[in-house]
Amino acid sequence: MGIISWIILGIVAGFIGSKIVNKSGQGMIMDIVLGIVGAIVGGVIFSAFGASGVTGLNIWSLIVAVVGSVVVLWAYHQISGKRTL
């Protein structure tokens, strides 16, 4: 995937993940960064269970990235001490 695809996927996954975890988001840049990291983490998690990770700019990759984004955002909130719900 190209850098533009990662950014687009990161924006969407970060936005959706932040709405799932804390309803307000972390800010545009932080949502993008955590979304991209979430896509990588989601790919690792799904690969560990035998499924394919991020395969391109498609629905499956978005699902993987959102799952990873939720995990990363949850961990971020645990480390930073912010309440999630």
Side-chain angles (χ1 to χ4, degrees):
M1 276 179 39
I3 189 73
I4 301 298
S5 298
W6 277 106
I7 292 171
I8 292 169
L9 188 65
I11 290 169
V12 175
F15 177 77
I16 294 170
S18 66
K19 295 301 178 188
I20 291 171
V21 172
N22 69 349
K23 310 289 189 265
S24 65
Q26 303 301 315
M28 186 174 194
I29 300 299
M30 189 60 113
D31 282 348
I32 293 169
V33 170
L34 292 175
I36 292 171
V37 171
I40 295 167
V41 169
V44 169
I45 291 170
F46 275 68
S47 294
F49 288 106
S52 62
V54 176
T55 58
L57 196 56
N58 54 38
I59 297 297
W60 176 252
S61 294
L62 181 62
I63 292 168
V64 170
V66 168
V67 169
S69 180
V70 167
V71 170
V72 168
L73 281 164
W74 178 83
Y76 172 77
H77 286 289
Q78 296 303 311
I79 292 168
S80 69
K82 294 181 181 178
R83 295 204 55 170
T84 55
L85 294 175

